[in-house]
Amino acid sequence: MTLLSAVLVVIALVPLPASILLAAQMLASLKRRPDRLQSRTGTGTACPAFTVVVPAHDEATVIAATIRSLRAQLRPDDRLLVVADNCTDDTAAIARSEGAMVTERFDADRRGKGYALEWGVRHDLARATAVTIVVDADCLVSPGGLEALAREAAASGRPVQGDYLLEAPAGAGPGTRFSAFAIRIKNRARLLGSQRLGIPCVLTGSGMAFPRAVLDDIHLGSGEIVEDLLMSVDLALAGAPARFCPDARITSPLPLDRAAADGQRARWERGYLSVARRFAWRLVAAGFRRRSPRLIGMGIDIAIPPLSLFAVALMGLVVVTLAGMLIGASPAGFVIATIQLAVFLITVTTGWLVYGRDLLDFGDFIALPLKIFAKIPFYVRLVRRPQQGWVRTARDSEDREP
């Protein structure tokens, strides 16, 4: 084998673990129908008192609806605490008027959701209960969802992530609906598959429940854009990996506004790739040192890029290895790359058939390659424009300049 052939084979093998795990997660998620999922750990366990912490940064347009939905599920011993973080609008006043306890935080230097969470979970109100549940300010929780999260966290003694989905509003275009589909794959199919494969759950930002003992041992304050992913890594390395609780459904609308949607997507994907680049290999290395397949699996899991980026990378790999084969390299690299792309396409098609047909009709689905190619400039901009801190997503209910 020539040097060029060897190099192309090595390059083609780089994404192979991620390709295999993504397919395995999808396959494992199909053992039972999604509408019949049940989380069994907390079954029969008394639900402890809990505090719901809602971190909020300039959320005056949505905070009232969220508080009403949460208060409807609270029992006499449960608590609701809103952290109005560096707010310049009426978030705090509206939250108080809706019956929530409110703590305000102002710090021009330490900005970010992680700092707001740190502030909230250390508050005396949160410390007074056995479980703390984090819900974002624009989210609605399904009836019984808070109790399901608290019960599972108390029974397992581990953090718990609910079934958190971003929904496409009525009238949303194909791009928004594809985003909602991709999030279903990441936040439902992959988390369910990981749980059945014995891989720790990745926290997804809202609908997270923590036993008090776990919170006392972790540090939440950071300016990371995806503080939930960083928290997932820290918890797994500390021996307290999170569990998935599909019984608790948490929903939030995707923005219809194209600029807001692109900004939201850019912030999340940039943050995700940053944490994955820094910590995936550490999890894998720790897994080998501790002889823990679970940590190795989690490291590979967070190394799986967003679906669009993964598709672009695999298609690019096929093109590169094909070009190498045409100038005399062994076809081995091209074969490996082509098989991975085929497995990826089968995996995504399966995901659409099971999880996405209500979002994307057949015409939308077969047009996805065009949407993916159209996102290449987006990923170029992603690399060129770094961003940190808490930048809220503009809401569709807000007035905008024409």
Side-chain angles (χ1 to χ4, degrees):
M1 182 179 287
T2 65
L3 177 61
L4 176 60
S5 298
V7 169
L8 291 177
V9 168
V10 170
I11 293 173
L13 288 173
V14 169
L16 185 60
S19 298
I20 293 173
L21 181 57
L22 178 61
Q25 288 172 328
M26 181 61 67
L27 184 62
S29 77
L30 305 179
K31 288 183 179 179
R32 262 184 289 170
R33 288 179 54 186
D35 58 350
R36 294 181 180 175
L37 301 180
Q38 293 294 324
S39 180
R40 300 298 182 188
T41 300
T43 301
T45 302
C47 182
F50 57 82
T51 298
V52 182
V53 173
V54 181
H57 173 61
D58 288 349
E59 299 287 7
T61 60
V62 296
I63 191 72
T66 297
I67 291 174
R68 289 171 197 153
S69 75
L70 294 172
R71 287 194 65 202
Q73 299 188 42
L74 299 183
R75 303 159 304 167
D77 292 336
D78 301 328
R79 301 290 182 264
L80 174 59
L81 176 66
V82 173
V83 181
D85 188 82
N86 288 292
C87 290
T88 58
D89 64 1
D90 295 329
T91 295
I94 293 171
R96 289 191 181 98
S97 71
E98 293 292 337
M101 292 289 293
V102 178
T103 177
E104 297 187 67
R105 175 183 176 274
F106 296 96
D107 189 328
D109 297 322
R110 293 161 58 87
R111 301 175 64 89
K113 182 180 171 183
Y115 294 120
L117 286 178
E118 182 81 19
W119 181 278
V121 303
R122 308 303 178 205
H123 192 277
D124 289 343
L125 202 67
R127 287 184 176 276
T129 56
V131 173
T132 299
I133 301 173
V134 176
V135 177
D136 279 357
D138 61 341
C139 290
L140 301 179
V141 180
S142 62
L146 294 179
E147 287 196 27
L149 289 169
R151 187 178 294 110
E152 180 112 0
S156 66
R158 290 162 52 182
V160 174
Q161 174 62 59
D163 184 15
Y164 176 39
L165 302 179
L166 299 185
E167 296 187 327
T176 300
R177 287 184 279 117
F178 173 67
S179 293
F181 166 67
I183 291 164
R184 280 191 194 178
I185 298 300
K186 177 185 176 293
N187 288 4
R188 178 181 291 173
R190 286 179 55 192
L191 292 192
L192 178 60
S194 285
Q195 180 133 307
R196 290 174 174 168
L197 293 170
I199 297 173
C201 172
V202 173
L203 299 171
T204 57
S206 186
M208 306 180 292
F210 302 89
R212 171 48 51 187
V214 170
L215 279 177
D216 288 340
D217 292 336
I218 63 172
H219 174 71
L220 300 174
S222 77
E224 293 283 350
I225 299 170
V226 286
E227 79 297 322
D228 48 341
L229 182 60
L230 185 59
M231 201 187 321
S232 306
V233 173
D234 291 340
L235 287 165
L237 290 173
R243 289 182 53 83
F244 181 49
C245 177
D247 296 340
R249 179 75 53 82
I250 304 93
T251 56
S252 176
L254 283 164
L256 283 171
D257 181 84
R258 177 70 177 272
D262 286 349
Q264 182 187 55
R265 192 178 302 115
R267 287 191 297 275
W268 182 85
E269 293 195 8
R270 183 184 293 112
Y272 187 93
L273 293 172
S274 173
V275 172
R277 184 179 64 250
R278 287 177 287 151
F279 292 99
W281 69 271
R282 297 189 190 182
L283 282 166
V284 172
F288 278 110
R289 287 197 307 271
R290 302 179 190 181
R291 299 180 181 178
S292 171
R294 292 186 175 189
L295 286 180
I296 295 172
M298 187 178 184
I300 297 171
D301 178 44
I302 70 170
I304 298 174
L307 285 183
S308 293
L309 181 56
F310 204 5
V312 169
L314 291 176
M315 287 187 287
L317 191 59
V318 169
V319 171
V320 169
T321 53
L322 175 61
M325 187 176 68
L326 293 176
I327 61 173
S330 164
F334 175 70
V335 171
I336 295 170
T338 303
I339 291 174
Q340 287 186 80
L341 180 59
V343 170
F344 175 83
L345 294 176
I346 293 170
T347 300
V348 173
T349 301
T350 302
W352 171 70
L353 289 171
V354 177
Y355 297 98
R357 283 186 292 175
D358 62 318
L359 289 169
L360 302 169
D361 60 28
F362 182 71
D364 292 330
F365 183 70
I366 61 174
L368 284 182
L370 297 178
K371 296 289 182 183
I372 290 171
F373 279 117
K375 285 193 69 173
I376 293 177
F378 167 82
Y379 287 114
V380 172
R381 293 194 301 271
L382 205 65
V383 173
R384 291 180 176 176
R385 299 177 186 176
Q387 176 182 302
Q388 289 184 335
W390 193 347
V391 181
R392 64 181 292 278
T393 301
R395 310 301 178 195
D396 293 321
S397 58
E398 296 173 351
D399 293 332
R400 296 184 179 85
E401 294 294 329

